[in-house]
Amino acid sequence: MNETEYLLFFHNHGADFGPWRNHDGRGRRPIYLSLGRFAPGDGQPLRFSAPISLMDSDNVELNRRSDLALYSSFEEVDGRPVLFYPDRKHFLVGRIIGPELLDRAVFP
């Protein structure tokens, strides 16, 4: 990634996912990302790619939790972008967001 690229992490649904509703915590999955690029000549200076599937718990529970609330930190470590997040609020996980994932970005 360079200084004119951005990442947006989101759930890509309107708070309800299948039979689950946001109020029970299970609607907080799956998580997608979109790569954003600065395009100064366009009417909207940030253009985002189509959603890319990043992670899902597949509704597998851990201590009665299957949600993926992304309270995260995004840092560069040794020149690589790393997303740090609490996996179902129990384990701190660091995931490299590498080119094999970002190369899947398709812009409209």
Side-chain angles (χ1 to χ4, degrees):
M1 289 184 56
N2 62 48
E3 66 275 357
T4 59
E5 291 181 324
Y6 306 87
L7 287 178
L8 174 66
F9 300 95
F10 57 102
H11 291 291
N12 202 26
H13 57 76
D16 294 338
F17 180 66
W20 301 286
R21 303 294 179 246
N22 195 36
H23 67 274
D24 69 5
R26 296 185 207 182
R28 291 179 139 181
R29 54 171 280 268
I31 294 176
Y32 292 82
L33 70 81
S34 284
L35 180 64
R37 292 192 175 140
F38 183 61
D42 290 352
Q44 169 55 269
L46 284 180
R47 294 184 60 219
F48 285 94
S49 71
I52 299 169
S53 178
L54 180 64
M55 65 180 89
D56 192 4
S57 68
D58 295 322
N59 205 39
V60 174
E61 291 187 358
L62 175 67
N63 293 333
R64 297 190 314 238
R65 297 194 72 104
S66 62
D67 60 314
L68 292 172
L70 195 64
Y71 304 106
S72 63
S73 175
F74 193 70
E75 304 288 333
E76 191 169 292
V77 178
D78 296 329
R80 297 183 297 181
V82 179
L83 175 69
F84 292 97
Y85 61 95
D87 184 24
R88 289 174 271 183
K89 299 187 179 183
H90 291 280
F91 306 102
L92 182 62
V93 178
R95 179 173 176 174
I96 296 170
I97 306 296
E100 67 282 348
L101 182 64
L102 299 178
D103 287 346
R104 294 174 33 201
V106 175
F107 287 84

